[in-house]
Amino acid sequence: GQDKIEFRLYTKAKQFGYNLIGYNGPVVSPTEFTEETDKDVVSWEGTGFDPSKRTVFTIHGLGGMDFGLSYAAAFRTIGADVNLISINWKSVWYKFSKRPDMRMFHIGGVAGHFLKDLIDQSGLSLENVHVIGFSYGGQVPQE
């Protein structure tokens, strides 16, 4: 389920590693997201996330490699100060469904609602958000 998906935050201030942004939304299926279950479920305070900065999401493919650290290093090299959130869904590889298209539907629903809640709770502007999907990660539908 979604509790195994990690939202890893890489920032310029944290040279190595990441902080996890907590997410406590619905667990089973994107169809279960409602106005009541989808309120104030992102825990970003104290992680280093800055809603005034550009935010880049990366979503890996079926190979399961998190590109966050590489992207964070690249942004630091050019002097860019961004929030880089790498969505790591490796743990739901065979847990949710044997069919990759069903996993993508689930992961896309969780990622979309995570982003919506992050915007609602932090004041992040959608205009400052960029999503990069690798391979099958590019097929993740955003609900």
Side-chain angles (χ1 to χ4, degrees):
Q2 145 274 319
D3 59 326
K4 306 248 193 241
I5 295 175
E6 291 182 340
F7 296 91
R8 298 175 173 181
L9 173 66
Y10 297 86
T11 61
K12 187 176 180 182
K14 188 163 184 139
Q15 291 291 312
F16 300 99
Y18 54 85
N19 290 320
L20 289 177
I21 296 179
Y23 182 72
N24 302 308
V27 183
V28 179
S29 166
T31 59
E32 293 184 8
F33 291 98
T34 67
E35 288 299 316
E36 291 307 310
T37 62
D38 197 33
K39 289 184 179 175
D40 301 323
V41 295
V42 176
S43 304
W44 60 275
E45 295 86 354
T47 63
F49 176 79
D50 183 345
S52 68
K53 295 179 183 173
R54 184 168 46 131
T55 299
V56 178
F57 283 86
T58 63
I59 307 171
H60 65 75
L62 291 176
M65 183 175 174
D66 175 14
F67 294 96
L69 193 56
S70 299
Y71 262 76
F75 281 123
R76 273 195 303 277
T77 299
I78 63 170
D81 191 6
V82 301
N83 300 304
L84 175 65
I85 300 174
S86 184
I87 301 172
N88 180 17
W89 57 275
K90 191 166 149 179
S91 296
V92 298
W93 176 251
Y94 285 111
K95 305 285 192 236
F96 183 73
S97 171
K98 300 280 186 201
R99 294 177 45 196
D101 58 324
M102 292 305 294
R103 288 192 298 274
M104 293 298 108
F105 179 74
H106 176 72
I107 293 157
V110 172
H113 284 83
F114 171 88
L115 177 57
K116 178 188 177 299
D117 288 326
L118 185 62
I119 287 170
D120 290 348
Q121 289 177 233
S122 71
L124 172 68
S125 169
L126 184 58
E127 293 175 0
N128 286 334
V129 174
H130 306 274
V131 179
I132 303 169
F134 298 93
S135 189
Y136 218 156
Q139 304 302 312
V140 171
Q142 294 293 312
E143 290 287 313

